DNA sequence: GAATTCATTCGATTATATTCGTTTTTGACC
DNA sequence: GGTCAAAAACGAATATAATCGAATGAATTC
């Protein structure tokens, strides 16, 4: 999409002033505030600006817009799941955190746990948990994927093979009606499978939006998993299947 | 969640002053103390601050004060060295970047190189080069050291053993008169030695402050190194020795 | 134990998303 | 050129959501 002249000017004003306000811009261009809002919204979608209440600021850094948007998608549900998972991870334990925005929310929720050992192939998780001094962090080696800060590939799987942890927190791109965990990227699936083998218990985190999606590669079945933590009740047939498998389904209560 | 402008400013005030008080901030921004409290609470939840009674202090996680200071120390010299090194790294090549603030400056200077493969055990380097889409990044696995974002340990050394690169850019804590590269941490030294073995050519980066320092562990001798890039001429005896060894000494011209 | 400071709730204000109808622009065709 | 239909841009109205400040009682510091 091309920028309108007004949008270009908004952008240069924003960059020059460090911040623009909706009202000021509406007066400056003599248009309605809704029009300005639309412009700002589009500029934000294109990654040029960040919306703030009442205006916008030029975006600094952060390479990946699509990923930022994914992170905001159902942020409430993810926070709820994260809190529920964190409550089920005891202090003084060792865990693996994998890729995915939900997993990153779990890392946020673990900021105040003490004496954790966290092994992760997610740069965002590592950066987040840096702020928790009571947490030893092992970063898995591998090729860095810009789109989400993930470390993937054969070397990553090998790395995980050297550990054995209490709990693995596994993300997934999709969760189908048969209870299969699915993903888009085969390299990532291999890593996930290696992780599954190295954990005494596996918790899968997946918000309800994952139930309506599909993906080509299969990671595992919920039958191999100890808990599924989600934010809305499962469809009855899947819930029954989980019960048969002994996979505990945790529906996280919303956090206020 | 995105930080509001006020939250960002609170954060930078906190980092600059070492501490912020609720009342002061409320007066400074001309808002109610409850509003400030809310901001501080959110910043604390995000791991940026720690609440104390009446205010907050910056959380020292990865935002290591000592490290930040080291990074600012002789920043000009480091930038000069970085530019000189970047000029000597051709595009379409594979390199290793190790720990150290000077190495991080090199990463900064490589932001516009194309088609690089960079292998690093430095989280800061990885985060920086994320912004360069023409650069494939491999992150070495290992234990994350909060003080400098370094990945160290036996696993890290093993990881590097699987690669062979054109150039390794090696940092060092100290450089003594005999031309020995020294470091404080034995685990890091092991990694550095593993790297030395995996590179067709090694460039050592060390600004002049490293010449007056010492450290207990020996990484290698300059005789094993192709180039030493520094920011001020070496003492004559060391310069002569480097010449004998065939180690080219590059004195980087200051950048304007 | 007195005084701050804090967390929480509530309501008021303001900003936002969304929808809809109007105006303007565009481009194709006669 | 002129006409028309489709598309885009815009503004108004509405419901939703975010922000802020005041009030309350609990927790804390001294």
């Amino acid at each position: 999409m091309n920028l309108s002249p007004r949008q270009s000017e908004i952008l240069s004003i924003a960059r020059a002033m460090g911040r623009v306000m909706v009202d000021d811009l509406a007066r400056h261009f003599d248009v309605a505030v809704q029009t300005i809002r639309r412009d700002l919204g589009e500029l934000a979608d294109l990654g040029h600006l960040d919306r703030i209440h009442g205006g916008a600021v030029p975006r600094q850094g952060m390479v990946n817009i699509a990923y930022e948007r994914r992170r905001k998608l159902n942020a409430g549900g993810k926070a709820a799941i994260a809190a529920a998972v964190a409550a089920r991870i005891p202090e003084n334990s060792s865990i693996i955190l994998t890729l995915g925005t939900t997993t990153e929310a779990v890392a946020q929720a673990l900021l105040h746990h003490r004496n954790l050992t966290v092994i992760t192939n997610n740069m965002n998780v590592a950066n987040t948990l840096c702020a928790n001094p009571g947490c030893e962090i092992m970063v898995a080696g591998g090729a860095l994927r810009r789109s989400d800060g993930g470390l993937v590939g054969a070397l990553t799987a090998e790395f995980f093979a050297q550990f054995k942890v209490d709990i693995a927190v596994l993300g997934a791109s999709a969760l189908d009606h048969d209870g299969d965990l699915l993903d888009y990227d085969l390299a990532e699936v291999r890593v996930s499978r290696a992780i599954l083998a190295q954990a005494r218990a596996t918790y899968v985190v997946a918000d309800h939006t994952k139930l309506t999606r599909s993906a080509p590669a299969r990671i595992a079945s919920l039958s191999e998993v100890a808990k599924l933590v989600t934010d809305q009740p499962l469809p009855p047939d899947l819930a029954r299947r989980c019960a048969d498998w002994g996979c505990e389904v945790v529906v996280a209560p919303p956090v206020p």
Side-chain angles (χ1 to χ4, degrees), chain A:
Chain A
M1 187 206 313
N2 267 343
L3 297 186
S4 73
R6 189 179 52 231
Q7 286 174 326
S8 313
E9 192 175 340
I10 288 176
L11 208 50
S12 43
I13 293 175
R15 291 212 239 261
M17 310 289 286
R19 181 165 58 150
V20 287
M21 299 313 254
V22 171
D23 286 342
D24 298 342
L25 290 173
R27 221 169 307 121
H28 179 262
F29 290 105
D30 194 26
V31 293
V33 289
Q34 292 87 332
T35 306
I36 296 296
R37 273 197 250 280
R38 215 169 345 229
D39 284 341
L40 295 184
E42 285 170 12
L43 288 170
D45 281 346
L46 287 169
H48 295 119
L49 293 180
D50 270 322
R51 283 306 312 266
I52 58 171
H53 218 75
V57 292
R59 171 153 335 187
Q60 62 243 5
M62 188 35 72
V63 202
N64 202 312
I65 309 141
Y67 192 66
E68 280 304 307
R69 186 170 354 217
R70 244 176 73 204
R71 190 176 303 187
K72 283 192 188 114
L73 187 71
N74 192 24
K78 283 169 183 164
I81 294 171
V85 171
R88 284 164 178 79
I89 293 179
E91 302 198 325
N92 312 309
S93 60
S94 57
I95 65 173
I96 290 177
L97 290 178
T98 66
L99 304 185
T101 53
T102 316
T103 323
E104 288 169 23
V106 173
Q108 278 289 339
L110 288 174
L111 273 175
H112 296 103
H113 271 55
R114 270 169 307 183
N115 199 20
L116 280 184
T117 300
V118 176
I119 309 169
T120 184
N121 61 328
N122 187 327
M123 293 276 287
N124 301 317
V125 166
N127 287 328
T128 298
L129 284 175
C130 251
N132 179 352
C135 171
E136 189 182 338
I137 305 168
M138 305 285 300
V139 178
L144 175 57
R145 191 164 65 185
R146 282 194 172 60
S147 61
D148 63 349
L151 300 165
V152 291
L155 290 170
T156 314
E158 270 177 43
F159 184 93
F160 280 111
Q162 313 199 39
F163 293 91
K164 183 94 193 186
V165 298
D166 300 324
I167 300 169
V169 178
L170 213 63
S173 296
L175 176 56
D176 79 359
H177 297 82
D178 299 331
D180 281 332
L181 300 167
L182 307 172
D183 215 315
Y184 291 104
D185 182 355
L186 202 59
E188 190 176 333
V189 167
R190 290 217 189 82
V191 173
S192 294
R193 276 209 282 259
I195 289 169
L196 210 55
Q198 306 302 321
R200 298 193 182 89
T202 302
Y203 298 176
V204 168
V205 290
D207 65 291
H208 70 278
T209 65
K210 305 289 165 63
L211 286 164
T212 56
R213 259 197 244 131
S214 190
R218 179 176 177 278
I219 301 171
S221 160
L222 281 179
S223 64
E224 307 168 46
V225 159
K227 292 188 208 293
L228 166 66
V229 186
T230 182
D231 61 339
Q232 290 190 11
L234 297 185
D237 57 332
L238 185 52
R240 201 166 328 110
R241 220 165 295 173
C242 284
D244 289 348
W245 286 328
C247 168
E248 184 195 353
V249 177
V250 178
V251 179
V255 286

